[in-house]
Each structure stands twice: as C-alpha cells, then as structure tokens.
Amino acid sequence: MLLGAGFGLRLRGQEEPASLQEEEPAVPVNWVEDLNSAITNELSRLPAMDQAVDSFMNHWSLKGATLAVMRNDSLLYARGYGKADPDTPMTPGTRMRLASVSKLLTAIGIMRLQEEGKVFLDSPVFGPLGILNEYDRHIRDDNYYLITVEHLLRHQAGFTSRGGDVMFSTAKFMQKHGIKEPPTTDFLVQKELARPLHYEPGSWQEYSNFGYLLASLVIEKVSGMPYEEFMQREVFEPALCHGFRLGGDYLKDRQPGETRYFTQPDDKPVPSFDGRYASVSRCYGGNYISGLYGAGGWVGSAVELARMVACIDGGGPVPDLLDPFSVKQMTVWFDDNTYGLGWLDCRPEGEWTRTGSFAGTSALIKKYADGECWIFITNTSTWRGSRFTRNTGELCKNLRGRFDSQLPVRDLFRE
C-alpha cells in the first residue's frame, strides 16, 4: 500500500503546479480575535434543535456538550449544553480534551513544515538520512528504515496495539522496565524501537497512537522547537486560535477554561497510570494524557476547532494555512481501507471525518461535501466508549436533516 508520486502526491523535489502557488490573502482586521470569550450561548438559539440536543444528552447521561455548525467557512451556530462543572454552564468556548482529534492538528503541523521545505511525506524517519536517526542504535528490525513520515500519518508504519497500546499501558510499561516514574518520551521511544514491527511499512495499516507520537517528535526535530511551541506559533496563532493547550492528567492539572470530565455512575475506579494512587476516576489519572503529545493530548474548544477546519478546507473566506495541494494530499481518497492524513476517513464524494475519545471525552468533526461542518464534543464517558462517536454522527445527520434550513445566515467568526 505504498503511496507516493504514482498517486499524484507531491514528493521531495517536485514542484507544485503554478496555479496552486497563489498567495493567500492577509487575514482581515475584522476577524474575531478571542473566539472563546466572544462567542457566547446567547448568540445562538434554535429552541427545537436545542431541545433535540438536550434529549440526546439525557438519553446518554451526558453532563455537558458543545455544538458548532459552520457552512462555507462561516460559523452559523455555536452553543454549549449542560454543565462544564457542577457550578458552571457549558459555553461554545469551553475547552475540552480532543483525544485523537489531536492527530488532525499534528498532521497540519507536518504539512506546514512540508510547505516550508523542511520535511516531506516521503522523508525517511530512521536510517542514515532519517529525521530521528539518533534512535537508530536502538533498532533491531531493519524494516524501521523503510518508515516514512507519510507512513506515520496514515497508520502504515508497522506498529500495532496487539498486546496493548503502549500509549495507554503506562503502568504495565513501568513494571516491565523497572521504573518508578512514568517514562520520558525519549525512554519510551528507545524501548519501543527495540521491538520488531508487525508488518512491513506501507504494506498494511493499523491504527497507532505511537506513530503519532513519533510524528510529534518529527515536528520537534525539523522545526527546532518543542512540539507545543511550534504548534502554537505556526498553526494556532496564524489561525487566530489562542486557546489550544496540551492537557494534563489529573483534575488539578486542568487548563483555565477547561471543563471537568465525568464518567458514568457505574464506572469502576482504576489504579492510576503512574502507580501513585490505588483508586482514581478513569478520566483523572486513568491515562497518561500529558504523555500523548500529538497523538491525543490537545485541549480546545468547539469554536476554535471549527476555525481550524476552516483554515484547512481549501476554501474561503477564512484564509487557509495550507495551499490547495496540501489540502488535497490530506484528503485524497484511495480506497475504503486507507486513512487520510490526520483525518480518520475521507470519502470520494468529499466528506471528511475525524473522531476522538477516551475516558470523559468524545469528539467528532464531520465535514460534509456541501461545505457544512458539524462539531460535537462532550465531557462525559458513555458505556459505548469509542463507538459512541457513531451515535454523535447520527445526531448531526439528524439535526442537519431537520434544522439545516433554519440555521441563521451569518458569520460568528467576524466582528
């Protein structure tokens, strides 16, 4: 399943067509600068649709959720439902863990670096010319030298979660390697690279959080900046999205403006990921959130996430961060079994999907072929786990069918 020039993707040294080299217009001065504060619940009210969302939340016992609806880069509707914590209502700007939606953000970072000529999709990750070749001395399987940046982004690098996902098995990893503290990223990568790959890179695909951790390190290496700093400076700030942060592990670590997370009443406590506590809520200490980086660590709001989608959709009026060719690379459809770059699924008719979930969080981005984008994020686990995003997808489809013609024609991104 090797992907490259034969599929119309630009590789190192290939010029893009002249028609795609047009500069994006400067950001107009009338864009809202602080989306999370400026866009409030009072700006969006459609009683019948809000009631449908409330009914959905009651059915699934959700404490809080946010909904953002965008059409052709214009934010039409943005509202918070329920509670961010027992004393605070949810708002459109409330920040929540984005889980694997973070992978889309990381892919944007890679594409920004490719446009600067600092990395390419076919760049080797390991080996003499590899970006992360400082780890070569730990490698025992020569197949690692076949891994490219594109393989990391498409989950084709040869990693699997058979025997447990190392990014969500921290306590097991600590016990195996005889360490008392959660592993540093460097130590984790060293130990994982000593293991054989499960398939030849490019010949198959299997979802891998570890692959996106490596993609985060690629960003650090080629940019010369810490991952979070690069993303803030080169991705979020140019998009006027100032609220994205890497999240923490425990309640005490939550960011300003971040929601509280909840599990279902019958969800049993678990030992903490770091061995510090015998019993914790699964959403506070059950997973090593701060160790996920670009695989699942970002915290952000629905409105800023909508703005990010507007910046990578290849259309206007919001200026894009990426040129049209990069957008095409991220979203081109090959077959039903090939992931997009950062996107979970890209359909031939132009529908793009990104989901994310872990304890206390479920997030969905649904970008439809007609230019609409629906984003729904919750702060509560359900018994369905990651399968719950299918239900939120059905909710968005239902709401579109019933209320699309009733949405206001306006743009909340503008002053």
Side-chain angles (χ1 to χ4, degrees):
M1 197 184 296
L2 289 170
L3 308 178
F7 289 87
L9 301 185
R10 186 173 75 245
L11 301 179
R12 189 187 306 112
Q14 271 186 263
E15 292 294 331
E16 65 184 34
S19 61
L20 300 182
Q21 296 176 351
E22 300 175 2
E23 293 186 0
E24 295 286 357
V27 177
V29 296
N30 61 330
W31 294 120
V32 173
E33 282 281 349
D34 186 355
L35 295 170
N36 290 340
S37 297
I39 300 178
T40 64
N41 284 336
E42 289 70 30
L43 296 177
S44 297
R45 187 171 184 271
L46 192 56
M49 187 167 79
D50 296 338
Q51 184 178 11
V53 175
D54 287 335
S55 296
F56 178 85
M57 292 176 61
N58 289 334
H59 176 77
W60 291 103
S61 300
L62 305 179
K63 298 289 187 181
T66 52
L67 172 68
V69 184
M70 184 171 64
R71 182 185 296 149
N72 297 326
D73 279 12
S74 295
L75 186 64
L76 308 183
Y77 202 86
R79 189 170 179 84
Y81 301 87
K83 298 289 187 178
D85 64 43
D87 301 315
T88 307
M90 190 71 80
T91 72
T94 300
R95 298 168 186 164
M96 286 186 272
R97 291 172 177 169
L98 300 178
S100 283
V101 170
S102 302
K103 293 180 175 67
L104 176 60
L105 305 177
T106 298
I108 297 169
I110 293 286
M111 302 309 286
R112 290 277 283 177
L113 288 167
Q114 177 172 258
E115 291 186 4
E116 294 173 6
K118 294 180 179 179
V119 71
F120 299 89
L121 290 181
D122 67 336
S123 296
V125 178
F126 304 108
L129 301 178
I131 299 166
L132 302 179
N133 59 13
E134 65 269 27
Y135 289 107
D136 285 0
R137 61 193 177 90
H138 302 284
I139 290 173
R140 302 291 180 267
D141 180 353
D142 287 348
N143 278 327
Y144 278 96
Y145 303 125
L146 302 176
I147 296 174
T148 67
V149 172
E150 183 172 8
H151 291 146
L152 298 179
L153 298 185
R154 291 197 192 277
H155 302 281
Q156 295 177 343
F159 306 115
T160 75
S161 57
R162 298 168 206 171
D165 186 336
V166 68
M167 305 300 294
F168 290 94
S169 306
T170 305
K172 181 179 177 181
F173 182 92
M174 291 168 61
Q175 182 180 26
K176 177 180 178 180
H177 296 287
I179 56 177
K180 302 297 184 181
E181 298 291 333
T184 63
T185 299
D186 184 61
F187 185 77
L188 185 147
V189 170
Q190 290 179 26
K191 297 303 181 183
E192 285 300 292
L193 294 185
R195 302 174 61 189
L197 292 175
H198 288 266
Y199 58 88
E200 182 179 310
S203 66
W204 190 245
Q205 67 174 24
E206 192 162 335
Y207 197 86
S208 172
N209 288 297
F210 181 68
Y212 267 80
L213 176 65
L214 293 178
S216 306
L217 298 185
V218 166
I219 287 175
E220 289 194 338
K221 183 71 175 291
V222 300
S223 71
M225 287 182 265
Y227 169 74
E228 184 172 17
E229 180 182 346
F230 170 83
M231 294 295 292
Q232 295 289 359
R233 288 175 54 176
E234 301 297 327
V235 176
F236 302 135
E237 294 297 332
L240 301 182
C241 294
H242 309 295
F244 286 100
R245 299 290 186 276
L246 286 178
D249 306 308
Y250 292 99
L251 180 59
K252 65 180 179 59
D253 301 320
R254 70 173 172 170
Q255 297 285 344
E258 184 180 358
T259 188
R260 186 164 183 163
Y261 304 101
F262 302 90
T263 58
Q264 294 299 315
D266 60 350
D267 192 60
K268 295 180 180 179
V270 297
S272 66
F273 73 92
D274 53 9
R276 293 172 59 189
Y277 307 104
S279 179
V280 297
S281 169
R282 198 178 300 272
C283 60
Y284 284 116
N287 292 311
Y288 190 14
I289 305 298
S290 60
L292 289 171
Y293 288 88
W298 285 107
V299 169
S301 70
V303 290
E304 289 199 338
L305 199 53
R307 175 78 184 195
M308 285 305 310
V309 174
C311 288
I312 60 164
D313 63 358
V318 174
D320 278 340
L321 291 175
L322 303 175
D323 67 39
F325 199 84
S326 294
V327 175
K328 181 180 179 180
Q329 286 183 300
M330 292 184 71
T331 59
V332 64
W333 182 83
F334 294 97
D335 53 55
D336 290 338
N337 299 312
T338 303
Y339 290 110
L341 299 178
W343 292 99
L344 186 66
D345 184 40
C346 297
R347 306 305 303 164
E349 66 273 14
E351 181 178 300
W352 311 336
T353 304
R354 180 67 253 183
T355 65
S357 66
F358 40 65
T361 303
S362 180
L364 170 73
I365 303 173
K366 200 75 172 178
K367 174 72 166 55
Y368 296 94
D370 63 4
E372 271 193 8
C373 178
W374 288 62
I375 296 172
F376 192 78
I377 314 174
T378 78
N379 65 355
T380 313
S381 295
T382 75
W383 61 269
R384 293 206 71 195
S386 61
R387 295 171 296 165
F388 175 66
T389 52
R390 183 183 297 263
N391 298 93
T392 59
E394 292 169 354
L395 170 69
C396 292
K397 181 179 180 180
N398 177 272
L399 295 178
R400 259 173 52 97
R402 293 174 60 189
F403 303 110
D404 201 60
S405 63
Q406 301 177 43
L407 292 171
V409 179
R410 59 180 178 181
D411 187 0
L412 295 174
F413 288 143
R414 294 177 178 269
E415 298 279 5

Short mmCIF file of all heavy atoms in Angstrom, two decimals, residues 38-64:
data_model
loop_
_atom_site.label_atom_id
_atom_site.label_comp_id
_atom_site.label_asym_id
_atom_site.label_seq_id
_atom_site.Cartn_x
_atom_site.Cartn_y
_atom_site.Cartn_z
N ALA A 38 -15.70 35.67 23.05
CA ALA A 38 -16.65 36.49 22.30
C ALA A 38 -17.91 35.74 21.89
O ALA A 38 -18.99 36.32 21.80
CB ALA A 38 -15.98 37.09 21.06
N ILE A 39 -17.79 34.44 21.63
CA ILE A 39 -18.94 33.68 21.14
C ILE A 39 -19.62 33.01 22.34
O ILE A 39 -19.07 32.07 22.93
CB ILE A 39 -18.51 32.65 20.09
CG1 ILE A 39 -17.86 33.38 18.91
CG2 ILE A 39 -19.71 31.83 19.61
CD1 ILE A 39 -17.35 32.48 17.82
N THR A 40 -20.78 33.49 22.68
CA THR A 40 -21.49 33.04 23.87
C THR A 40 -22.76 32.29 23.50
O THR A 40 -23.23 32.33 22.36
CB THR A 40 -21.85 34.24 24.77
OG1 THR A 40 -22.77 35.09 24.05
CG2 THR A 40 -20.60 35.04 25.13
N ASN A 41 -23.35 31.64 24.49
CA ASN A 41 -24.60 30.91 24.26
C ASN A 41 -25.72 31.82 23.79
O ASN A 41 -26.61 31.39 23.03
CB ASN A 41 -25.04 30.19 25.54
CG ASN A 41 -24.23 28.94 25.81
OD1 ASN A 41 -23.66 28.35 24.90
ND2 ASN A 41 -24.16 28.53 27.06
N GLU A 42 -25.70 33.06 24.22
CA GLU A 42 -26.78 33.98 23.88
C GLU A 42 -26.84 34.29 22.38
O GLU A 42 -27.89 34.75 21.89
CB GLU A 42 -26.61 35.29 24.66
CG GLU A 42 -26.88 35.19 26.16
CD GLU A 42 -25.83 34.38 26.91
OE1 GLU A 42 -24.65 34.39 26.45
OE2 GLU A 42 -26.18 33.74 27.92
N LEU A 43 -25.76 34.04 21.66
CA LEU A 43 -25.73 34.35 20.23
C LEU A 43 -26.39 33.27 19.38
O LEU A 43 -26.63 33.50 18.19
CB LEU A 43 -24.28 34.54 19.78
CG LEU A 43 -23.52 35.71 20.40
CD1 LEU A 43 -22.07 35.72 19.92
CD2 LEU A 43 -24.20 37.03 20.08
N SER A 44 -26.66 32.12 19.95
CA SER A 44 -27.24 31.01 19.17
C SER A 44 -28.39 30.39 19.94
O SER A 44 -28.21 29.88 21.05
CB SER A 44 -26.17 29.95 18.87
OG SER A 44 -25.13 30.46 18.09
N ARG A 45 -29.56 30.45 19.32
CA ARG A 45 -30.73 29.85 19.97
C ARG A 45 -31.71 29.39 18.91
O ARG A 45 -32.23 30.18 18.13
CB ARG A 45 -31.40 30.85 20.91
CG ARG A 45 -32.53 30.23 21.73
CD ARG A 45 -33.02 31.19 22.81
NE ARG A 45 -34.03 30.56 23.64
CZ ARG A 45 -35.34 30.57 23.37
NH1 ARG A 45 -35.78 31.19 22.28
NH2 ARG A 45 -36.20 29.99 24.18
N LEU A 46 -31.92 28.09 18.86
CA LEU A 46 -32.90 27.47 17.97
C LEU A 46 -33.63 26.43 18.83
O LEU A 46 -33.18 25.30 18.96
CB LEU A 46 -32.19 26.83 16.78
CG LEU A 46 -33.05 26.37 15.60
CD1 LEU A 46 -33.89 27.52 15.05
CD2 LEU A 46 -32.16 25.81 14.50
N PRO A 47 -34.72 26.84 19.49
CA PRO A 47 -35.31 26.03 20.55
C PRO A 47 -35.56 24.57 20.20
O PRO A 47 -35.24 23.68 21.00
CB PRO A 47 -36.62 26.75 20.86
CG PRO A 47 -36.33 28.19 20.52
CD PRO A 47 -35.44 28.13 19.32
N ALA A 48 -36.08 24.28 19.01
CA ALA A 48 -36.38 22.90 18.67
C ALA A 48 -35.10 22.08 18.53
O ALA A 48 -35.04 20.92 18.96
CB ALA A 48 -37.19 22.85 17.37
N MET A 49 -34.05 22.66 17.93
CA MET A 49 -32.79 21.94 17.80
C MET A 49 -32.12 21.77 19.16
O MET A 49 -31.58 20.71 19.47
CB MET A 49 -31.84 22.66 16.84
CG MET A 49 -30.58 21.84 16.54
SD MET A 49 -29.61 22.44 15.14
CE MET A 49 -28.74 23.81 15.93
N ASP A 50 -32.16 22.81 19.97
CA ASP A 50 -31.57 22.72 21.30
C ASP A 50 -32.26 21.65 22.14
O ASP A 50 -31.62 20.92 22.90
CB ASP A 50 -31.65 24.08 22.01
CG ASP A 50 -30.83 25.14 21.31
OD1 ASP A 50 -29.90 24.77 20.55
OD2 ASP A 50 -31.11 26.34 21.50
N GLN A 51 -33.58 21.54 21.97
CA GLN A 51 -34.31 20.51 22.70
C GLN A 51 -33.88 19.11 22.23
O GLN A 51 -33.77 18.19 23.04
CB GLN A 51 -35.82 20.69 22.49
CG GLN A 51 -36.66 19.70 23.31
CD GLN A 51 -38.15 19.93 23.14
OE1 GLN A 51 -38.58 20.70 22.27
NE2 GLN A 51 -38.95 19.27 23.95
N ALA A 52 -33.64 18.97 20.92
CA ALA A 52 -33.19 17.68 20.40
C ALA A 52 -31.82 17.31 20.97
O ALA A 52 -31.56 16.15 21.30
CB ALA A 52 -33.13 17.73 18.87
N VAL A 53 -30.93 18.30 21.10
CA VAL A 53 -29.63 18.04 21.70
C VAL A 53 -29.78 17.67 23.17
O VAL A 53 -29.13 16.73 23.67
CB VAL A 53 -28.69 19.25 21.53
CG1 VAL A 53 -27.37 19.02 22.27
CG2 VAL A 53 -28.42 19.53 20.05
N ASP A 54 -30.63 18.39 23.88
CA ASP A 54 -30.87 18.09 25.29
C ASP A 54 -31.40 16.67 25.46
O ASP A 54 -31.00 15.94 26.39
CB ASP A 54 -31.86 19.09 25.90
CG ASP A 54 -31.24 20.46 26.12
OD1 ASP A 54 -30.01 20.54 26.26
OD2 ASP A 54 -32.00 21.45 26.15
N SER A 55 -32.30 16.26 24.58
CA SER A 55 -32.86 14.90 24.66
C SER A 55 -31.77 13.86 24.42
O SER A 55 -31.71 12.83 25.10
CB SER A 55 -33.98 14.73 23.63
OG SER A 55 -35.06 15.59 23.91
N PHE A 56 -30.89 14.12 23.46
CA PHE A 56 -29.76 13.23 23.19
C PHE A 56 -28.87 13.11 24.42
O PHE A 56 -28.45 12.01 24.81
CB PHE A 56 -28.98 13.76 21.99
CG PHE A 56 -27.76 12.95 21.63
CD1 PHE A 56 -27.87 11.84 20.81
CD2 PHE A 56 -26.50 13.32 22.09
CE1 PHE A 56 -26.74 11.10 20.46
CE2 PHE A 56 -25.38 12.59 21.74
CZ PHE A 56 -25.49 11.47 20.93
N MET A 57 -28.59 14.24 25.05
CA MET A 57 -27.74 14.24 26.23
C MET A 57 -28.39 13.49 27.39
O MET A 57 -27.73 12.73 28.11
CB MET A 57 -27.41 15.67 26.64
CG MET A 57 -26.51 16.39 25.66
SD MET A 57 -26.24 18.12 26.11
CE MET A 57 -25.46 17.94 27.71
N ASN A 58 -29.68 13.68 27.57
CA ASN A 58 -30.38 12.96 28.64
C ASN A 58 -30.36 11.46 28.39
O ASN A 58 -30.19 10.66 29.33
CB ASN A 58 -31.82 13.46 28.75
CG ASN A 58 -31.91 14.86 29.33
OD1 ASN A 58 -31.03 15.27 30.08
ND2 ASN A 58 -32.97 15.58 28.97
N HIS A 59 -30.54 11.06 27.13
CA HIS A 59 -30.54 9.64 26.80
C HIS A 59 -29.20 8.99 27.14
O HIS A 59 -29.16 7.85 27.64
CB HIS A 59 -30.84 9.45 25.31
CG HIS A 59 -30.77 8.03 24.86
ND1 HIS A 59 -31.77 7.12 25.11
CD2 HIS A 59 -29.81 7.35 24.17
CE1 HIS A 59 -31.44 5.94 24.61
NE2 HIS A 59 -30.24 6.05 24.03
N TRP A 60 -28.10 9.71 26.89
CA TRP A 60 -26.76 9.16 27.11
C TRP A 60 -26.15 9.60 28.44
O TRP A 60 -24.98 9.32 28.72
CB TRP A 60 -25.84 9.55 25.96
CG TRP A 60 -26.20 8.85 24.68
CD1 TRP A 60 -26.86 9.36 23.61
CD2 TRP A 60 -25.92 7.49 24.36
NE1 TRP A 60 -27.02 8.42 22.64
CE2 TRP A 60 -26.45 7.25 23.06
CE3 TRP A 60 -25.28 6.43 25.01
CZ2 TRP A 60 -26.35 6.01 22.43
CZ3 TRP A 60 -25.18 5.21 24.39
CH2 TRP A 60 -25.71 5.00 23.11
N SER A 61 -26.93 10.32 29.26
CA SER A 61 -26.46 10.78 30.58
C SER A 61 -25.19 11.62 30.45
O SER A 61 -24.22 11.42 31.18
CB SER A 61 -26.23 9.59 31.52
OG SER A 61 -27.41 8.87 31.72
N LEU A 62 -25.21 12.56 29.53
CA LEU A 62 -24.08 13.45 29.33
C LEU A 62 -24.22 14.69 30.21
O LEU A 62 -25.28 15.31 30.24
CB LEU A 62 -23.99 13.89 27.87
CG LEU A 62 -23.92 12.79 26.82
CD1 LEU A 62 -23.85 13.40 25.42
CD2 LEU A 62 -22.70 11.89 27.05
N LYS A 63 -23.17 15.04 30.91
CA LYS A 63 -23.21 16.23 31.77
C LYS A 63 -23.15 17.51 30.95
O LYS A 63 -23.80 18.50 31.27
CB LYS A 63 -22.04 16.21 32.75
CG LYS A 63 -22.02 15.03 33.70
CD LYS A 63 -23.12 15.15 34.74
CE LYS A 63 -22.98 14.04 35.79
NZ LYS A 63 -24.05 14.11 36.81
N GLY A 64 -22.31 17.51 29.90
CA GLY A 64 -22.16 18.72 29.11
C GLY A 64 -21.68 18.40 27.70
O GLY A 64 -21.09 17.35 27.45
#
